[in-house]
Each structure stands twice: as C-alpha cells, then as structure tokens.
Amino acid sequence: MSTSTFPSSDRRLRCISQWGCLERNDEVVVRRTDLSGLEVFLPRTDPPRLHDWASDGYRSSEEYLFWSRKVCGLACLQSLLHGWTDVRLTMGELLALALDRDCYVVEPSGKVRGLIYRPFMAWISSQFGFHCELVERTPVHVSHREIRPGQVLIASVSPEIRDPDTRAPQRGGHLVLVYAVEDGVVRFHNPSGYSHNSDSASLPVDVFERFHADRGILIRAAS
C-alpha cells in the first residue's frame, strides 16, 4: 500500500516554498550522488520561466539559484513570522540576517554549511522573541509531546520525504515544519515538496521517522 502524503485541513501556519512559489517545487531535482549523498537543485531555465527572484529580495538570478537550495529552514521561519507576528521580510532579507549571524558559513570552496542550529536559535530568540529548544537524538514519537498550538518542531529530515515510498532514504539534510502530531500522524509543511504535498502534508509517524534524523528545534511563539 502506498504511503503517499495527503493534505490536512489545518491552515494555522502558511506553507512557504524555499523556491519562491509552490508551482516551482515540481521542477526541483532531488538525486543521489556517487558518494551516497544527495543533490537538491532547480535546473537553470530560460529567463521567462525563472521565478521572480527580485520579489523575494535576491540580487540576481544566480544568487536565487544558489541559495534557494539552502533556505528550507528560513522558509520554515517565514511561516512562523507570518503566522505568529507582524514581521514581513523577504527571503533575501532573512538570508542576509542569517549570514550576518553565522547561521550559514560559506567555505572557500563554495560549499555551504548550515543551517547551523545554535546561532539560528540565538538569532530568532533575540530578534523575534521566539523561545527555542534544541532537540537531539530524539525520535518524533517522543518529541511530538511538545508540539501543540503555538509550539512547533523544525525537524531535520531527508529531502526525499517528498517521495515517501523511497527505500532506504538518507536521514537529515533538509528541514520541514511539523505543526501537529495526532492519532499517529505527523502533519507538516515541506518547503521543497511537490506542489501537491508541500502544504499541510501528512505521514504516519513510523513513515516520517524513516526520513527523520532525530534532531531539530522546538520553537514557541513569543508570550
């Protein structure tokens, strides 16, 4: 029996695509590399078909194509800002702030490390008043006890979670926003899912845990 995701009726938090709009998500490529790693990227397209990167605060199409692969965590943050606050910042503005706070580190080779949890937690706590708690070595069937209205889990999963029937998936490497776990079902927004299973996707707990790296960040809205 297929374990494909299905939509939930919960709309308390808006789903934000890391690629700028959910329609673009269907063009995203997730593929395994020779070293058993994963590549996630948006193929270069003709300018008329390229997303309006300027409206997202990027300075060029090259910057958009480079960073949109990396900003799943910032897409989750944008969801929280829209749902819990009056703060409205473009992805480019959030990225500049995150880089300034060392939430991402660009190495001389061009490789990006991040989202780095501890500086990210310190930043969003000080600037937006969110309360953060690091979750490590904790499966979601345990951490879900802390998920409730006004408190969510940004969870580290494999980007392959968009295809939940994937065999032996990598665990971790991508971030999704878990806003509810009830009746054995995890409900989450996936910034890089397909257009049909990004917004309020649902998976049984045991299926979700095949992709979950047992780590993430619990975030509570400001009092």
Side-chain angles (χ1 to χ4, degrees):
M1 178 177 171
S2 174
T3 54
S4 61
T5 52
F6 55 92
S8 160
S9 60
D10 194 303
R11 291 294 186 271
R12 286 172 291 184
L13 292 171
R14 174 186 171 194
C15 180
I16 303 288
S17 167
Q18 69 189 80
W19 310 94
C21 60
L22 291 179
E23 291 74 18
R24 294 290 293 171
N25 287 25
D26 293 334
E27 300 178 38
V28 173
V29 175
V30 178
R31 69 184 180 194
R32 301 201 179 193
T33 66
D34 293 338
L35 300 177
S36 299
L38 286 176
E39 291 182 325
V40 181
F41 62 94
L42 186 67
R44 291 184 176 272
T45 58
D46 295 334
R49 296 183 58 236
L50 193 64
H51 174 67
D52 181 9
W53 46 264
S55 66
D56 284 342
Y58 291 104
R59 293 170 295 180
S60 67
S61 60
E62 289 75 20
E63 184 179 58
Y64 163 71
L65 288 168
F66 179 82
W67 279 106
S68 56
R69 300 173 295 162
K70 306 292 185 181
V71 294
C72 47
L74 296 185
C76 293
L77 173 60
Q78 229 175 17
S79 294
L80 301 181
L81 293 175
H82 280 255
W84 292 349
T85 78
D86 294 326
V87 177
R88 299 293 181 266
L89 295 170
T90 66
M91 186 60 76
E93 290 170 325
L94 284 176
L95 177 60
L97 290 168
L99 287 167
D100 187 58
R101 296 296 293 265
D102 296 325
C103 302
Y104 297 95
V105 175
V106 182
E107 298 178 349
S109 64
K111 181 180 178 180
V112 176
R113 290 193 294 112
L115 186 74
I116 304 173
Y117 287 1
R118 294 185 190 279
F120 176 74
M121 293 164 62
W123 165 44
I124 66 173
S125 296
S126 63
Q127 183 157 356
F128 306 120
F130 295 159
H131 302 273
C132 300
E133 179 183 343
L134 184 64
V135 174
E136 296 180 292
R137 298 180 293 278
T138 306
V140 76
H141 76 262
V142 175
S143 60
H144 88 270
R145 299 166 188 165
E146 302 299 323
I147 299 170
R148 61 181 69 93
Q151 182 157 291
V152 301
L153 175 69
I154 292 183
S156 177
V157 300
S158 169
E160 295 170 303
I161 200 169
R162 72 202 309 239
D163 293 302
D165 291 323
T166 300
R167 295 186 178 183
Q170 171 182 301
R171 299 176 72 204
H174 176 57
L175 296 171
V176 299
L177 182 64
V178 178
Y179 61 81
V181 182
E182 51 199 11
D183 300 325
V185 173
V186 182
R187 306 188 187 279
F188 62 101
H189 293 321
N190 181 359
S192 194
Y194 296 109
S195 58
H196 71 272
N197 68 2
S198 285
D199 187 355
S200 295
S202 303
L203 282 176
V205 167
D206 61 333
V207 176
F208 186 91
E209 287 190 334
R210 289 199 297 109
F211 299 87
H212 185 33
D214 294 347
R215 63 179 180 268
I217 306 170
L218 281 167
I219 303 178
R220 187 169 78 249
S223 302

